[in-house]
Amino acid sequence: MRHQGRSRQKGLGRGVTGSRTARLSPDGRYPSRTGRRRRRSWKPPVEEPPPRLCCPENAATARPAKMSDVNKTVQKWHASFKKGADFDSWGQLVEAIDEYQILARQLQKEVQSTNSSDFTEEQKKNLGKIATCLEMRSASLQCTQSKEEFKLEDLKKLELIIKNILTYNKEFPFDVQPVPLRKILAPGEEENLELEAEDDAAAGAGSTETFPPRAPGTLLPRLPSEPGMTLLTLRIEKIGLKDAGQCIDPYMSISVKDVNGVDLNPMQDTPVATRKEDTYIHFSVDVEIQRHVEKLPKGAAIFFEFKHYKPKKRFTSTKCFAFMEMDEIKPGPIVIELYKKPTDFKRKKLQLLTKKPLYLHLHQTLHKDS
């Protein structure tokens, strides 16, 4: 009896203090199971959204419109322009030149696009003129002896134009012309286009169409000598190619890169080659490397990119490249191998252009101030 009583008291205690207590309803009845379950799963009511203040057909106008693709493109151009101008004003000339040239190529691509209807012909003309000014400023930074220097202060006047290109309706501030329908692709960029056909060069060989002459190069003068320091002059004699006679406006771009492919000096372009003979294109031009040999970091290399104009595709393409490493810097003649594009500045995946004995012929001269 004591055991049963203790059990009842335990049960009573659980009923008084526990969560299982069943409370009587006002009419004196116990609530049903479903009533308890329904009460346990109760949630606060969800507030109804406020009524719209406009009719459904005008609902889209009540929300902020998303930025269109063309506005995003213009915003991207403006940001690139400011980035290049900032580099320029800070004296980071290599970075400024790269930014200017990238933006100029983007603008030229839009100007030459025949499928795009985002810009009017007048807007495209202004974009082309901005591209010209960017190239002029880039050339001024690369060539200190340029007679027609395009100043940073002048370039900054174009910021409002590129920012508001969709609404700009005033006269362009400089008397320049858009770049002709010829574009220069960044190293390796042309690999995204269709591969060169074997008959492509042959088509250019028999062409009688005339093209605007290319700029006369961007070669820089020799640096001032320093005691105990060595300067390097590279004379580009000639390059051997099986279709040498069919290359239009051939020239070389020379750059100095570190082991990671980062620029150590501004890129220099030679003038167009002087003559073609059999399987050789002759340059006979001196290139002054813009850093003392002792200051070149370990693993650096000097790159030579051979470029030529392709009339069918209307752009200047890199056909092949070569490079010279630091242990090859010695006075006298040197012959180096040619490799297939795209230019591999990190020298990881190299493929010879041809098995034939065709090379780039150079002559090195070292200048040391003792």
Side-chain angles (χ1 to χ4, degrees):
M1 291 295 290
R2 182 182 291 180
H3 177 73
Q4 290 177 353
R6 207 177 283 128
S7 298
R8 278 198 300 273
Q9 287 176 356
K10 285 184 179 179
L12 181 60
R14 228 179 7 250
V16 172
T17 61
S19 61
R20 298 182 185 180
T21 304
R23 299 193 179 188
L24 293 175
S25 61
D27 58 0
R29 298 179 180 179
Y30 285 101
S32 66
R33 285 184 178 273
T34 55
R36 287 206 303 272
R37 187 179 299 120
R38 190 161 53 246
R39 188 158 50 247
R40 285 177 182 174
S41 62
W42 178 86
K43 295 180 181 179
V46 179
E47 293 185 7
E48 293 292 330
R52 290 180 181 270
L53 300 179
C54 59
C55 52
E57 57 269 20
N58 295 328
T61 60
R63 299 180 180 180
K66 291 184 178 180
M67 186 180 291
S68 65
D69 289 342
V70 64
N71 282 321
K72 287 180 181 178
T73 300
V74 172
Q75 195 176 63
K76 184 180 176 182
W77 289 342
H78 178 232
S80 179
F81 183 94
K82 285 191 66 178
K83 186 178 179 182
D86 285 345
F87 280 137
D88 199 345
S89 61
W90 297 335
Q92 295 178 244
L93 303 188
V94 174
E95 291 83 356
I97 291 168
D98 286 345
E99 201 65 39
Y100 289 152
Q101 290 180 343
I102 290 170
L103 179 56
R105 282 193 293 271
Q106 291 173 349
L107 298 181
Q108 290 171 22
K109 185 176 181 180
E110 182 61 44
V111 170
Q112 296 169 20
S113 173
T114 56
N115 299 325
S116 173
S117 58
D118 293 333
F119 300 93
T120 65
E121 288 303 314
E122 188 62 29
Q123 289 167 353
K124 285 187 175 183
K125 188 180 294 183
N126 283 333
L127 289 174
K129 290 181 178 180
I130 293 172
T132 299
C133 292
L134 289 167
E135 291 192 349
M136 290 171 64
R137 178 58 187 164
S138 180
S140 295
L141 294 177
Q142 293 181 69
C143 186
T144 55
Q145 295 180 337
S146 175
K147 294 180 180 180
E148 298 182 4
E149 181 182 1
F150 195 83
K151 297 180 179 179
L152 176 60
E153 292 76 14
D154 295 331
L155 188 72
K156 286 184 175 180
K157 295 176 183 177
L158 305 179
E159 183 178 349
L160 282 178
I161 301 178
I162 195 168
K163 182 179 180 181
N164 304 305
I165 190 66
L166 297 173
T167 56
Y168 185 79
N169 56 6
K170 298 179 182 178
E171 188 175 351
F172 199 80
F174 304 108
D175 184 18
V176 296
Q177 294 302 316
V179 177
L181 292 180
R182 303 178 57 166
K183 58 183 177 179
I184 299 176
L185 299 184
E189 191 176 345
E190 65 272 5
E191 69 173 320
N192 297 323
L193 304 174
E194 58 179 326
L195 296 174
E196 288 187 81
E198 285 298 320
D199 61 342
D200 195 24
S207 175
T208 57
E209 186 177 0
T210 58
F211 301 95
R214 188 181 162 275
T218 55
L219 296 179
L220 299 172
R222 188 182 306 168
L223 292 176
S225 59
E226 291 184 18
M229 292 293 183
T230 308
L231 290 169
L232 172 62
T233 301
L234 287 168
R235 184 169 184 80
I236 302 178
E237 299 283 4
K238 59 184 179 179
I239 185 172
L241 298 167
K242 64 179 181 180
D243 55 353
Q246 299 168 352
C247 294
I248 298 175
D249 282 0
Y251 68 101
M252 300 285 292
S253 291
I254 300 92
S255 57
V256 183
K257 309 277 186 178
D258 68 10
V259 70
N260 295 314
V262 178
D263 276 308
L264 297 173
N265 294 135
M267 181 181 287
Q268 302 183 63
D269 290 343
T270 70
V272 171
T274 54
R275 64 188 176 94
K276 304 169 189 175
E277 182 182 26
D278 297 329
T279 55
Y280 287 101
I281 296 176
H282 295 260
F283 287 92
S284 303
V285 63
D286 289 338
V287 180
E288 303 291 346
I289 301 304
Q290 298 295 299
R291 183 171 291 210
H292 294 91
V293 174
E294 290 81 2
K295 295 181 180 179
L296 291 171
K298 184 179 180 180
I302 303 170
F303 283 83
F304 306 84
E305 296 175 272
F306 178 82
K307 300 177 179 180
H308 65 124
Y309 181 63
K310 302 174 77 172
K312 269 191 174 182
K313 298 176 185 176
R314 290 183 175 271
F315 65 76
T316 298
S317 169
T318 301
K319 184 177 182 66
C320 60
F321 73 99
F323 63 87
M324 191 177 75
E325 297 182 321
M326 295 301 96
D327 59 354
E328 296 175 298
I329 297 180
K330 298 170 184 176
I334 182 174
V335 174
I336 54 179
E337 295 174 322
L338 302 173
Y339 298 96
K340 291 182 180 179
K341 66 179 184 181
T343 309
D344 182 9
F345 292 119
K346 294 184 179 181
R347 293 161 273 165
K348 300 291 185 183
K349 298 178 181 179
L350 301 172
Q351 287 185 310
L352 287 173
L353 178 68
T354 178
K355 294 180 181 179
K356 296 181 179 180
L358 298 172
Y359 307 100
L360 177 62
H361 296 251
L362 308 170
H363 190 281
Q364 302 181 72
T365 303
L366 298 175
H367 312 273
K368 189 162 187 176
D369 189 4
S370 55

